[in-house]
Amino acid sequence: MEKQLARDVRFLKVYAVVSTALLSAMALLSASPRHNKGPHFEEIDVERINIVEKDGRLRMVISDQDRQHPGIVNGKIIKRDGPRPPGIIFFDQSGDEMGGLVFGENGSKGHFGSLTFDKVRNDQTIGFRHLEGDNGAYSAGLSVWQQPNLPSDMLTTKYENANKIADEPARKAAIQEMIDHNELTTQRLFLGKGRDNTTLFEMSDIKGKPRIKMQVTAEGMARLDFLDETGKVTYSLPEAHK
């Protein structure tokens, strides 16, 4: 009986030591800054990464050119004739594209970079862009666009159908009707540097016609022009430039 009791006491001692060790190890692991995190890589090469929600909804794509996502508007994959630039594409809660950060070639020696954000079910409304050609001339600045309050796939189809009209006056009338109803993308504002080294601040009306231009030329000449809807300058500062 005493031998059995001694064995039981030794077993309890060993059990207590092992349990204490295991609990201590678990406590240390739970306090570790990498607890419950995924694998750690100091460096990784990858052609594309899809960022998704827990339910599988796509929210972001980081990709090279060959595997870049073509984009989705109004629930439809955008048809593209060629490859899309590498970069990051963002997607909203409905699965449509809502902008992106892209970069790439612009000729044999030039390049471009662009950060833009889109209207719901439509194209970009604001963007920061650098566009550079082979000869080193570049433009850089902020642009704001007016987008129709309709899905871009519907407007693209309407514009393509208008362009297919054989009769030239009828074709121009159909396109003008879209312009009059604000159904085409127009640039409302540009603030930046032009390829001719002019610094420009230009504001346009809803139809994309410039109405105010403020500029400083490469030679250092400053000018402010007010224009009517036909493009005619109605007032300038300094007035000597009228």
Side-chain angles (χ1 to χ4, degrees), residues 165-204:
I165 298 175
D167 183 68
E168 184 175 355
R171 180 172 65 253
K172 290 183 177 180
I175 295 175
Q176 186 61 48
E177 183 179 2
M178 293 188 69
I179 295 174
D180 292 340
H181 288 85
N182 304 318
E183 293 179 340
L184 293 179
T185 300
T186 57
Q187 181 166 291
R188 298 300 305 274
L189 179 147
F190 174 78
L191 173 60
K193 173 196 169 297
R195 291 181 184 271
D196 61 354
N197 292 325
T198 295
T199 302
L200 178 65
F201 178 38
E202 181 176 275
M203 291 181 285
S204 303

Side-chain angles (χ1 to χ4, degrees), residues 15 17-36:
Y15 178 81
V17 171
V18 172
S19 298
T20 300
L22 288 175
L23 288 173
S24 299
M26 291 175 65
L28 289 173
L29 287 174
S30 64
S32 172
R34 294 201 53 81
H35 180 62
N36 287 334

Side-chain angles (χ1 to χ4, degrees), residues 51-236:
I51 308 298
V52 299
E53 299 288 359
K54 290 183 179 180
D55 58 7
R57 286 180 297 158
L58 184 64
R59 300 308 298 264
M60 183 188 301
V61 170
I62 306 172
S63 176
D64 64 8
Q65 179 171 285
D66 291 338
R67 300 182 65 86
Q68 185 58 275
H69 197 290
I72 301 175
V73 172
N74 203 23
K76 302 174 183 177
I77 297 290
I78 299 174
K79 295 181 180 179
R80 300 187 182 274
D81 297 330
R84 199 175 192 194
I88 305 173
I89 307 298
F90 311 117
F91 296 86
D92 66 15
Q93 68 278 4
S94 66
D96 282 0
E97 181 179 332
M98 62 165 295
L101 171 64
V102 296
F103 55 91
E105 301 175 4
N106 188 24
S108 61
K109 297 180 181 179
H111 65 204
F112 69 90
S114 175
L115 172 63
T116 59
F117 298 96
D118 301 344
K119 188 181 186 305
V120 173
R121 299 187 302 167
N122 212 301
D123 212 343
Q124 58 202 31
T125 61
I126 186 170
F128 299 87
R129 301 189 297 175
H130 171 92
L131 308 173
E132 186 168 348
D134 291 351
N135 61 358
Y138 69 93
S139 65
L142 165 70
S143 295
V144 174
W145 295 273
Q146 179 82 34
Q147 296 293 352
N149 196 28
L150 287 172
S152 61
D153 60 322
M154 296 172 57
L155 294 173
T156 298
T157 299
K158 186 174 181 178
Y159 182 75
E160 290 175 347
N161 290 337
N163 257 328
K164 293 177 182 177
I165 298 175
D167 183 68
E168 184 175 355
R171 180 172 65 253
K172 290 183 177 180
I175 295 175
Q176 186 61 48
E177 183 179 2
M178 293 188 69
I179 295 174
D180 292 340
H181 288 85
N182 304 318
E183 293 179 340
L184 293 179
T185 300
T186 57
Q187 181 166 291
R188 298 300 305 274
L189 179 147
F190 174 78
L191 173 60
K193 173 196 169 297
R195 291 181 184 271
D196 61 354
N197 292 325
T198 295
T199 302
L200 178 65
F201 178 38
E202 181 176 275
M203 291 181 285
S204 303
D205 61 24
I206 197 170
K207 292 181 172 55
K209 297 179 179 180
R211 304 304 290 269
I212 299 176
K213 288 185 177 181
M214 182 184 299
Q215 57 186 313
V216 178
T217 68
E219 296 74 29
M221 299 296 295
R223 180 172 179 175
L224 173 62
D225 292 327
F226 295 83
L227 304 90
D228 63 18
E229 61 181 5
T230 67
K232 179 182 177 181
V233 176
T234 60
Y235 183 72
S236 293

